mmCIF file of all heavy atoms in Angstrom:
data_model
loop_
_atom_site.group_PDB
_atom_site.id
_atom_site.type_symbol
_atom_site.label_atom_id
_atom_site.label_comp_id
_atom_site.label_asym_id
_atom_site.label_seq_id
_atom_site.Cartn_x
_atom_site.Cartn_y
_atom_site.Cartn_z
ATOM 1 N N LYS J 175 55.127 -43.226 141.421
ATOM 2 C CA LYS J 175 54.036 -43.468 142.355
ATOM 3 C C LYS J 175 54.337 -42.937 143.764
ATOM 4 O O LYS J 175 53.466 -42.572 144.503
ATOM 5 C CB LYS J 175 53.635 -44.919 142.391
ATOM 6 C CG LYS J 175 54.735 -45.881 142.825
ATOM 7 C CD LYS J 175 54.331 -47.338 142.581
ATOM 8 C CE LYS J 175 54.427 -47.675 141.095
ATOM 9 N NZ LYS J 175 54.310 -49.100 140.804
ATOM 10 N N ASP J 200 51.022 -45.549 135.575
ATOM 11 C CA ASP J 200 51.014 -46.886 136.130
ATOM 12 C C ASP J 200 49.834 -47.675 135.541
ATOM 13 O O ASP J 200 48.728 -47.089 135.409
ATOM 14 C CB ASP J 200 50.811 -46.734 137.663
ATOM 15 C CG ASP J 200 51.547 -47.811 138.453
ATOM 16 O OD1 ASP J 200 51.963 -48.831 137.826
ATOM 17 O OD2 ASP J 200 51.689 -47.650 139.708
ATOM 18 N N SER J 201 50.075 -48.889 135.088
ATOM 19 C CA SER J 201 49.060 -49.594 134.292
ATOM 20 C C SER J 201 47.728 -49.744 135.050
ATOM 21 O O SER J 201 46.656 -49.537 134.454
ATOM 22 C CB SER J 201 49.598 -50.980 133.864
ATOM 23 O OG SER J 201 49.909 -51.711 135.022
ATOM 24 N N GLU J 202 47.822 -50.071 136.323
ATOM 25 C CA GLU J 202 46.580 -50.262 137.081
ATOM 26 C C GLU J 202 45.784 -48.945 137.177
ATOM 27 O O GLU J 202 44.578 -48.933 137.051
ATOM 28 C CB GLU J 202 46.921 -50.714 138.529
ATOM 29 C CG GLU J 202 47.609 -52.056 138.632
ATOM 30 C CD GLU J 202 49.070 -52.044 138.323
ATOM 31 O OE1 GLU J 202 49.607 -50.923 138.010
ATOM 32 O OE2 GLU J 202 49.727 -53.096 138.343
ATOM 33 N N ASN J 267 54.883 -53.271 146.036
ATOM 34 C CA ASN J 267 54.468 -52.441 144.870
ATOM 35 C C ASN J 267 52.929 -52.255 144.913
ATOM 36 O O ASN J 267 52.429 -51.149 144.699
ATOM 37 C CB ASN J 267 54.906 -53.119 143.560
ATOM 38 C CG ASN J 267 54.569 -52.238 142.356
ATOM 39 O OD1 ASN J 267 54.842 -51.054 142.331
ATOM 40 N ND2 ASN J 267 53.893 -52.855 141.384
ATOM 41 N N LYS J 268 52.204 -53.350 145.129
ATOM 42 C CA LYS J 268 50.760 -53.224 145.173
ATOM 43 C C LYS J 268 50.315 -52.379 146.339
ATOM 44 O O LYS J 268 49.335 -51.604 146.261
ATOM 45 C CB LYS J 268 50.117 -54.606 145.206
ATOM 46 C CG LYS J 268 48.783 -54.723 144.506
ATOM 47 C CD LYS J 268 48.733 -54.164 143.144
ATOM 48 C CE LYS J 268 49.796 -54.683 142.221
ATOM 49 N NZ LYS J 268 49.720 -54.045 140.824
ATOM 50 N N GLU J 271 50.751 -48.913 145.373
ATOM 51 C CA GLU J 271 49.710 -48.545 144.391
ATOM 52 C C GLU J 271 48.365 -48.316 145.032
ATOM 53 O O GLU J 271 47.564 -47.538 144.521
ATOM 54 C CB GLU J 271 49.650 -49.655 143.335
ATOM 55 C CG GLU J 271 50.897 -49.603 142.414
ATOM 56 C CD GLU J 271 50.843 -50.665 141.299
ATOM 57 O OE1 GLU J 271 49.940 -51.465 141.257
ATOM 58 O OE2 GLU J 271 51.787 -50.618 140.472
HETATM 59 MG MG1 MG B 673 51.691 -50.989 138.356
#
Side-chain angles (χ1 to χ4, degrees):
K175 61 190 74 169
D200 214 345
S201 58
E202 297 79 0
N267 183 49
K268 212 48 54 181
E271 288 181 357

